[in-house]
Amino acid sequence: MRFLHTADWHVGKSLHGYDLLNEQQHIFQQIEAIALEQKVDAIVIAGDLYDRSAPSEEAVSELNAELQKLNLHDQLPILAISGNHDSAARLATGDAWYSATQFYLHTQLSQAFEPIVIGDTQFFLLPYFELQAVRNYFGDDEIHSVKVAMERIVAQMQDHFAPDKHQVLVAHFFAAGSSHTDSETKVEVGGLNAIPVDLLTEFDYVALGHLHNPNALKNPVIKYSGSPLKMSASEAELQKGVRIVDSAIGESTWVPLKPAHDVRIIKGSFDDLMQKTDEGDRDDFVVIQLTDQEMIPDVMSRLRQVYPRIIALQRVNGPVQMKIDTTIDPALDPMQLVAKFYDFATDGHNLNPEQKEWLTQSLQRVQKGE
Amino acid sequence: MRFLHTADWHVGKSLHGYDLLNEQQHIFQQIEAIALEQKVDAIVIAGDLYDRSAPSEEAVSELNAELQKLNLHDQLPILAISGNHDSAARLATGDAWYSATQFYLHTQLSQAFEPIVIGDTQFFLLPYFELQAVRNYFGDDEIHSVKVAMERIVAQMQDHFAPDKHQVLVAHFFAAGSSHTDSETKVEVGGLNAIPVDLLTEFDYVALGHLHNPNALKNPVIKYSGSPLKMSASEAELQKGVRIVDSAIGESTWVPLKPAHDVRIIKGSFDDLMQKTDEGDRDDFVVIQLTDQEMIPDVMSRLRQVYPRIIALQRVNGPVQMKIDTTIDPALDPMQLVAKFYDFATDGHNLNPEQKEWLTQSLQRVQKGE
């Protein structure tokens, strides 16, 4: 059978203060169109459906609407698991009713071992898990690494392998050998918690979520789909898309997605960038890489006049060379002195009332010798 | 047909710091047992399923489990609406799937007008609404009161009345003439927002939620079920139960519920109360009404040794007569003076570190003449 492999939707995420809901709606329409056009037999979502444990009402309404559309309107089976960003308990709401229309949503480790059969394929849906949950499930406190945990999990899955079916694992973790981007927590993707890839070779295909880079693993049948959208400045150069998988042969093809507004890097001197006013979509999320080294007064607000959605400003030629403003009188009142320095160091910003309050209190403490 | 009428479950509520989840599980078991024993054709839940817009994971798991049990395991139809404590958007998760097993959950005003038919009865499920939602729905900005809003809503429902069926309204609001308890916000149940009872007489039965007192209305067919548990000290004397309704004749019978731990008032002098150590369940939630007028040192912690779950301490014979402690030396350091006074006024409590920090800063400000 053929299925669409996606993951890391992160519904409700914002990008440096910019709400991504409209971007996500746009990309979900493309995913739906691809699924229908490719006549897939199911959609696999490998975790991190939401961006956070307690998503906003808008995020909840958006994900609910998308799942309804795919499963109830388009009558596409859905195979989904919870990721580390999801609350397993909250995401599980409704799951007992969903399976009546072939929407399988697994959020507990105990659900991972009974395969979902669609056509010629057994799907093992393994939600994101903590080591303690594995110890509890197997009643074995000696499970001290995710490697050992995964060996036990795979062994128990193999007991359910049907010889006349293909086997697909859907999971959300960091598999060894993969790289990672900074929109995932470093601790979670650290080497200690990596699942060795060779533990996964019993499956005809492994549909992974967690890493946002679809090319993080080079294995032909153990694949990340990546996120459908660029979720941070560090993902600006990554490909975004979905995989269409033929489970019989474990082969997948890549179908790229086109965002409503791209995340892109723009590099150049300040003066050059201020002139390129007609290049690309003004509403794209841009990472500005300035080649200048000197101070540029009011740099951010001036750049924003040309590029309204700047998500990062980087100085690619090293730190700014600070000029000392010799016009400031060091005999000033300490409060005024700090305010002047702040104005200088921030290219013309004033202290806000909270900062002033904090500063006043701090100066008082210093004067009292605390 | 016959149905069970309940409301105001407030799953996830805590009572003065005491988590009520276990109490709620206990009472839901009774509701289930009553529904099965009475062989009802449906269960009506008239709003406030959760206590808050963003319930905890434990609360979500508990409500999900109860609804699954009733609808999927016991195969009882459920007719439910969102109340003012619920997030309509979050509660709606799964609703499009629920109706396949006759679990009807309405959270939007627009869903109120298409009746759900079970047996000989049409159910109109009207979720809690804001006036603005009514204006938007009817496209009429001249709707300036809940009275006018409800006239429009009922008129549109009447267009869908089938002459050969009985009509039941399920709603969550304050109907005029009812009293209220302080676990509901005063503003919301104020007279300005009352729905006049005479607007509701077109229905054979009106199953209301919002007020926790089942006897808040005296009308024979317009009824609050009240909450299944006592949710505040002010509800200590209220009856708690569910109604079994025969929609053909609009008649309802009251079935009381027995809590795992009651909320009860204990009145007497401090000395008497300290001796009644064997009366009632020690783990009940108690409202202590002290008849004493004088100061009692360390009163709360001493009472807690006998009654571990005190939720309120009231002095029924007027304010405490404060004795002046003439042993305190007014020449003490201000910090020590305040600490002594706090100890005296609170019957022996010490300032905690945060209070001390706050006090130190305040005294410093006073000394600097701010």
Side-chain angles (χ1 to χ4, degrees):
Chain A
M1 56 87 75
R2 278 152 58 80
F3 64 90
L4 184 149
H5 169 198
T6 177
D8 296 281
W9 284 11
H10 290 270
V11 174
K13 183 168 178 66
S14 63
L15 183 56
H16 294 264
Y18 300 106
D19 183 357
L20 290 182
L21 269 182
N22 285 341
E23 311 293 323
Q24 290 173 323
Q25 278 179 354
H26 176 91
I27 221 73
F28 292 146
Q29 281 172 11
Q30 284 180 49
I31 293 176
E32 183 193 18
I34 293 166
L36 294 173
E37 192 184 298
Q38 297 270 347
K39 296 186 170 48
V40 296
D41 304 302
I43 291 182
V44 165
I45 314 173
D48 283 359
L49 282 72
Y50 285 117
D51 188 55
R52 59 181 68 176
S53 163
S56 70
E57 296 192 331
E58 292 72 21
V60 169
S61 293
E62 171 58 19
L63 180 64
N64 286 344
E66 296 302 334
L67 295 173
Q68 271 184 50
K69 206 188 299 174
L70 294 173
N71 183 243
L72 295 183
H73 181 268
D74 300 333
Q75 300 188 298
L76 288 163
I78 300 177
L79 303 139
I81 56 172
S82 47
N84 56 310
H85 278 250
D86 300 305
S87 155
R90 293 197 180 92
L91 193 65
T93 299
D95 64 350
W97 284 265
Y98 295 153
S99 52
T101 53
Q102 290 196 293
F103 172 12
Y104 304 96
L105 173 59
H106 287 187
T107 57
Q108 302 298 324
L109 176 60
S110 60
Q111 300 175 299
F113 306 101
E114 193 60 50
I116 305 299
V117 179
I118 296 183
D120 58 5
T121 302
Q122 292 181 305
F123 286 88
F124 292 84
L125 308 184
L126 173 63
Y128 171 78
F129 59 87
E130 301 282 354
L131 209 46
Q132 189 56 48
V134 184
R135 292 188 196 116
N136 294 348
Y137 179 77
F138 288 104
D140 181 353
D141 283 344
E142 302 301 306
I143 299 173
H144 287 302
S145 72
V146 293
K147 178 177 171 291
V148 174
M150 197 61 201
E151 282 168 352
R152 297 287 293 270
I153 289 169
V154 172
Q156 180 148 335
M157 286 176 174
Q158 283 184 276
D159 292 344
H160 297 261
F161 276 24
D164 60 335
K165 301 280 184 194
H166 305 289
Q167 282 80 32
V168 170
L169 173 66
V170 180
H172 188 93
F173 51 56
F174 174 50
S178 58
S179 64
H180 62 271
T181 67
D182 72 4
S183 69
E184 284 303 319
T185 318
K186 303 276 188 204
V187 173
E188 280 158 357
V189 297
L192 280 176
N193 287 320
I195 306 270
V197 173
D198 54 280
L199 289 185
L200 308 174
T201 50
E202 297 300 326
F203 299 93
D204 294 292
Y205 184 82
V206 180
L208 290 172
H210 194 46
L211 300 187
H212 293 188
N213 179 359
N215 301 314
L217 276 181
K218 301 302 173 196
N219 192 293
V221 294
I222 304 171
K223 293 280 191 191
Y224 286 98
S225 65
S227 57
L229 278 175
K230 297 175 184 176
M231 302 272 177
S232 75
S234 69
E235 295 181 28
E237 310 275 75
L238 294 184
Q239 288 184 58
K240 295 296 168 183
V242 297
R243 297 188 185 279
I244 303 294
V245 184
D246 183 330
S247 64
I249 50 174
E251 237 172 52
S252 65
T253 53
W254 176 254
V255 182
L257 296 167
K258 188 170 163 31
H261 302 101
D262 204 1
V263 175
R264 60 193 170 96
I265 296 171
I266 303 178
K267 184 173 173 178
S269 72
F270 178 78
D271 290 337
D272 281 354
L273 293 186
M274 289 300 286
Q275 256 139 70
K276 292 182 181 175
T277 56
D278 52 358
E279 226 181 60
D281 188 333
R282 281 178 60 94
D283 282 334
D284 276 356
F285 304 100
V286 297
V287 178
I288 303 268
Q289 297 189 332
L290 284 186
T291 53
D292 315 73
Q293 284 195 288
E294 59 283 356
M295 286 289 298
I296 301 162
D298 212 11
V299 58
M300 201 58 157
S301 62
R302 286 162 75 192
L303 282 169
R304 281 232 165 89
Q305 286 166 14
V306 180
Y307 310 96
R309 297 165 114 184
I310 299 172
I311 61 168
L313 179 62
Q314 300 164 351
R315 298 278 195 161
V316 290
N317 291 330
V320 175
Q321 302 300 312
M322 266 209 170
K323 289 184 223 154
I324 301 302
D325 184 348
T326 51
T327 67
I328 296 180
D329 176 4
L332 279 173
D333 164 58
M335 184 77 192
Q336 289 176 293
L337 206 55
V338 177
K340 282 264 185 193
F341 176 75
Y342 187 83
D343 165 87
F344 167 73
T346 61
D347 292 332
H349 288 268
N350 293 324
L351 290 165
N352 67 32
E354 278 172 28
Q355 290 170 321
K356 277 187 192 161
E357 169 66 15
W358 177 87
L359 186 58
T360 306
Q361 290 183 5
S362 300
L363 289 173
Q364 281 171 359
R365 278 196 213 112
V366 170
Q367 283 166 337
K368 279 182 297 196
E370 281 174 25
Chain B
M1 56 85 78
R2 281 151 55 80
F3 63 90
L4 184 149
H5 169 198
T6 178
D8 297 279
W9 283 11
H10 290 271
V11 175
K13 183 168 177 66
S14 61
L15 183 57
H16 293 264
Y18 299 106
D19 184 356
L20 291 183
L21 269 182
N22 285 341
E23 311 293 323
Q24 290 173 322
Q25 278 180 353
H26 176 91
I27 221 72
F28 292 146
Q29 281 173 11
Q30 284 180 48
I31 293 176
E32 183 193 19
I34 292 166
L36 294 173
E37 191 184 299
Q38 296 271 346
K39 296 186 169 49
V40 298
D41 305 303
I43 291 182
V44 165
I45 314 172
D48 283 359
L49 281 73
Y50 285 118
D51 188 56
R52 61 181 65 176
S53 163
S56 70
E57 295 192 331
E58 292 73 21
V60 169
S61 294
E62 171 58 20
L63 181 64
N64 286 344
E66 296 301 335
L67 296 172
Q68 272 183 48
K69 206 189 299 175
L70 295 173
N71 183 244
L72 295 182
H73 181 268
D74 301 332
Q75 299 189 298
L76 287 163
I78 299 177
L79 303 140
I81 56 172
S82 48
N84 56 309
H85 278 250
D86 300 305
S87 155
R90 293 198 182 93
L91 194 65
T93 299
D95 64 350
W97 284 266
Y98 296 152
S99 53
T101 53
Q102 291 196 293
F103 172 12
Y104 304 97
L105 173 59
H106 287 186
T107 58
Q108 301 299 322
L109 177 61
S110 59
Q111 300 174 299
F113 305 102
E114 194 59 51
I116 304 299
V117 180
I118 296 184
D120 58 4
T121 302
Q122 292 181 306
F123 287 88
F124 292 84
L125 308 184
L126 173 63
Y128 171 78
F129 58 88
E130 301 282 353
L131 210 46
Q132 189 56 48
V134 184
R135 293 188 195 115
N136 294 347
Y137 178 78
F138 288 105
D140 182 353
D141 283 343
E142 301 302 306
I143 299 174
H144 287 302
S145 72
V146 292
K147 179 176 170 293
V148 174
M150 197 62 202
E151 282 169 353
R152 297 287 293 271
I153 289 169
V154 172
Q156 179 146 336
M157 286 176 175
Q158 283 185 276
D159 292 344
H160 296 262
F161 277 24
D164 60 336
K165 300 281 184 196
H166 304 290
Q167 282 81 32
V168 169
L169 174 66
V170 179
H172 189 93
F173 51 55
F174 175 49
S178 57
S179 63
H180 63 270
T181 68
D182 72 4
S183 68
E184 284 301 319
T185 317
K186 303 276 188 205
V187 173
E188 279 159 359
V189 298
L192 280 176
N193 287 321
I195 306 273
V197 173
D198 55 279
L199 289 185
L200 309 174
T201 50
E202 298 299 328
F203 298 93
D204 295 291
Y205 184 83
V206 180
L208 291 172
H210 194 45
L211 300 188
H212 292 188
N213 180 359
N215 301 314
L217 277 180
K218 301 303 173 196
N219 192 293
V221 296
I222 305 172
K223 294 280 192 192
Y224 286 98
S225 65
S227 56
L229 278 175
K230 297 174 184 177
M231 302 269 177
S232 74
S234 69
E235 296 181 27
E237 310 274 76
L238 295 183
Q239 289 184 56
K240 295 296 168 184
V242 297
R243 296 185 185 282
I244 303 295
V245 184
D246 183 330
S247 64
I249 51 176
E251 237 172 50
S252 65
T253 53
W254 176 253
V255 183
L257 296 167
K258 186 165 165 35
H261 300 102
D262 203 2
V263 175
R264 60 192 170 96
I265 295 171
I266 303 177
K267 184 174 173 177
S269 71
F270 178 77
D271 291 337
D272 281 354
L273 294 186
M274 289 299 287
Q275 258 139 68
K276 292 184 183 173
T277 56
D278 52 359
E279 226 180 58
D281 187 333
R282 282 176 62 93
D283 281 336
D284 276 357
F285 304 100
V286 296
V287 179
I288 302 269
Q289 297 189 333
L290 283 186
T291 53
D292 315 73
Q293 285 195 288
E294 57 284 355
M295 286 291 296
I296 301 162
D298 212 12
V299 59
M300 201 56 157
S301 61
R302 287 161 73 191
L303 282 169
R304 282 231 165 91
Q305 286 166 12
V306 180
Y307 310 96
R309 295 164 115 185
I310 299 172
I311 61 168
L313 179 62
Q314 300 164 352
R315 297 278 195 162
V316 290
N317 291 328
V320 175
Q321 303 298 313
M322 265 208 172
K323 289 184 221 152
I324 301 302
D325 183 349
T326 53
T327 67
I328 296 180
D329 177 4
L332 280 174
D333 164 61
M335 184 75 190
Q336 288 175 290
L337 205 55
V338 176
K340 281 263 184 195
F341 175 75
Y342 187 83
D343 165 86
F344 168 74
T346 61
D347 292 332
H349 287 268
N350 293 323
L351 292 165
N352 66 32
E354 279 174 26
Q355 291 171 320
K356 276 188 193 161
E357 169 67 16
W358 177 87
L359 185 59
T360 306
Q361 290 183 5
S362 300
L363 289 172
Q364 282 173 356
R365 276 195 214 112
V366 170
Q367 285 167 335
K368 280 182 295 196
E370 280 173 27

